[in-house]
Amino acid sequence: MFASLMERFRQRPELGRPIRPEQVLGDIVAGVLANTLAPDFQRVGDLFWVSDPKDHMRYLLKFQAMKGMTFSACWGVSVDFVPTLGGGKLKLKRTPKSAAFDLCIDPIDLSGQIPDWCSFYSNDRDYHVKRAASAAVRAARLDWSKITTLSDVADTFERRSRMVFKRFSLENYVQTDLAWGLVLIALGRTDEGNRHLDAFCRQFAIAPEAAILTKAKREAAAIAGRMT
């Protein structure tokens, strides 16, 4: 109930204060994250941080631009051998700058509204930006602590597929079946993985034999082979 009241009376932008560029806001956030994120994270955008790969995956933290001069935090995982879909084409993403959300955890999905605790306005005072950054990284680290292996990624997809969301659920994210399927193949669960990949290809009109997808499947299968 308290959280609901907090959302209902979420602060409004302070009139008369100048709007600040994303780089400036990102510099404020970076000052907070310097003491709270692991040293292997690097800033790859004004408000976007990516870790080095561990077990083929990278952790992501981003403050995404929303309507109403707002930036709201989301976090998750990018899997290096999973390509990304953009403009109807698959592309590789093996570097920090090309990393993208394969699994996205966005507090807005649960509440249906932009949460005050992990968001800020572009003209907010420094203390509010810092407060939101601190709260966001605490929540992100808690989720990341539960996702330390590819098996954890698959389990998280499964668990979140059973959750009830007020905004986006797993099927609303383009990468879901692609990443879920390839991760399952990397775990040796080939039939399950192929079912997800078939669903992805049908939904986005991608040829199952597309070169990049075939390469990704081979890499996932090779990972499974090394694990046995």
Side-chain angles (χ1 to χ4, degrees):
M1 178 180 290
F2 180 73
S4 177
L5 288 173
M6 286 291 289
E7 296 308 322
R8 185 176 302 175
F9 295 105
R10 183 172 184 264
Q11 68 156 13
R12 297 289 184 266
E14 194 173 335
L15 297 178
R17 287 186 57 79
I19 294 175
R20 295 191 283 186
E22 291 185 26
Q23 181 179 352
V24 173
L25 295 167
D27 289 345
I28 298 170
V29 174
V32 174
L33 301 188
N35 298 319
T36 53
L37 279 182
D40 66 325
F41 274 82
Q42 60 179 286
R43 186 177 173 185
V44 298
D46 290 333
L47 289 158
F48 191 15
W49 285 262
V50 178
S51 77
D52 286 344
K54 297 173 184 176
D55 194 17
H56 309 286
M57 62 186 182
R58 304 171 190 267
Y59 299 126
L60 312 179
L61 174 64
K62 185 175 186 178
F63 291 84
Q64 55 188 341
M66 312 294 292
K67 293 181 180 179
M69 302 165 42
T70 307
F71 293 89
S72 186
C74 61
W75 50 89
V77 172
S78 175
V79 181
D80 276 1
F81 60 83
V82 176
T84 186
L85 180 65
K89 296 181 180 180
L90 292 172
K91 300 177 183 179
L92 298 175
K93 53 175 179 58
R94 300 183 184 277
T95 66
K97 288 190 176 181
S98 63
F101 286 95
D102 290 315
L103 171 63
C104 181
I105 300 174
D106 189 337
I108 302 175
D109 291 341
L110 279 175
S111 67
Q113 300 178 8
I114 299 173
D116 179 64
W117 64 270
C118 65
S119 68
F120 50 81
Y121 294 108
S122 56
N123 68 342
D124 261 331
R125 297 178 186 271
D126 287 7
Y127 78 87
H128 191 93
V129 177
K130 291 178 180 179
R131 186 185 71 179
S134 295
V137 75
R138 283 196 300 270
R141 288 174 65 186
L142 180 61
D143 284 324
W144 292 332
S145 70
K146 302 171 185 175
I147 310 173
T148 60
T149 65
L150 290 177
S151 182
D152 294 334
V153 175
D155 290 345
T156 304
F157 274 126
E158 179 64 35
R159 183 174 63 254
R160 292 181 71 80
S161 72
R162 298 192 298 268
M163 293 172 61
V164 176
F165 296 95
K166 293 184 178 180
R167 181 174 172 251
F168 295 153
S169 52
L170 277 184
E171 60 266 22
N172 296 112
Y173 287 96
V174 172
Q175 290 289 113
T176 295
D177 278 314
L178 176 61
W180 197 351
L182 287 170
V183 167
L184 286 171
I185 291 174
L187 295 172
R189 297 161 61 180
T190 305
D191 291 342
E192 293 176 73
N194 281 328
R195 284 196 290 272
H196 283 285
L197 294 182
D198 289 344
F200 168 79
C201 289
R202 287 195 303 271
Q203 183 177 1
F204 297 103
I206 299 296
E209 66 277 8
I212 289 180
L213 181 57
T214 299
K215 182 177 181 179
K217 290 172 68 175
R218 283 201 302 265
E219 184 169 349
I223 293 171
R226 291 194 293 270
M227 293 173 62
T228 56

